[in-house]
Amino acid sequence: RVARDRLRAAGGPDPVGARVAARLAAGATVAATAAEVGLGARALHRRSLTLFGYGPKTLARILRMRRALDLARAGAPLAEVAARSGYADQAHLTREVRELAGVPPSRLLAPATA
């Protein structure tokens, strides 16, 4: 309730946030995203810190990792996942996932145990 009230008092959600997230999720570069939403690189960075808690490049990395994990969960081999998600190779994918999530992809993709 507190969060809802604060959001309402601030005038609602920032419409730029959804556009930035959508563009970066689609694989757009940070520079192209900034231009598309009408912000400079520094302004986009400041806005992203407020909206997401980190800069647009980190958001882009997280969204790319999410796309990769979705492909892997759909059954694609990790080498193919890496290529389709924009990683240089499977080792690059593994390093990025480990850096962002703290564990290798195989751990994130393993079935959950109760």
Side-chain angles (χ1 to χ4, degrees), residues 7-53:
L7 183 60
R8 187 177 300 128
D14 186 338
V16 171
R19 291 175 56 205
V20 167
R23 294 302 305 138
L24 293 175
T29 65
V30 172
T33 300
E36 187 171 312
V37 300
L39 296 172
R42 291 180 66 188
L44 176 61
H45 186 80
R46 285 191 303 272
R47 194 85 158 259
S48 292
L49 288 174
T50 300
L51 290 167
F52 308 111

Side-chain angles (χ1 to χ4, degrees), residues 8-94:
R8 187 177 300 128
D14 186 338
V16 171
R19 291 175 56 205
V20 167
R23 294 302 305 138
L24 293 175
T29 65
V30 172
T33 300
E36 187 171 312
V37 300
L39 296 172
R42 291 180 66 188
L44 176 61
H45 186 80
R46 285 191 303 272
R47 194 85 158 259
S48 292
L49 288 174
T50 300
L51 290 167
F52 308 111
Y54 34 75
K57 186 63 180 169
T58 299
L59 176 61
R61 290 174 64 206
I62 291 167
L63 293 170
R64 179 171 65 167
M65 179 184 73
R66 214 167 100 182
R67 281 193 313 273
L69 292 172
D70 287 345
L71 284 170
R73 287 184 183 108
L78 287 180
E80 179 183 335
V81 166
R84 289 177 54 191
S85 300
Y87 293 96
D89 54 26
Q90 184 176 342
H92 181 207
L93 166 66
T94 299

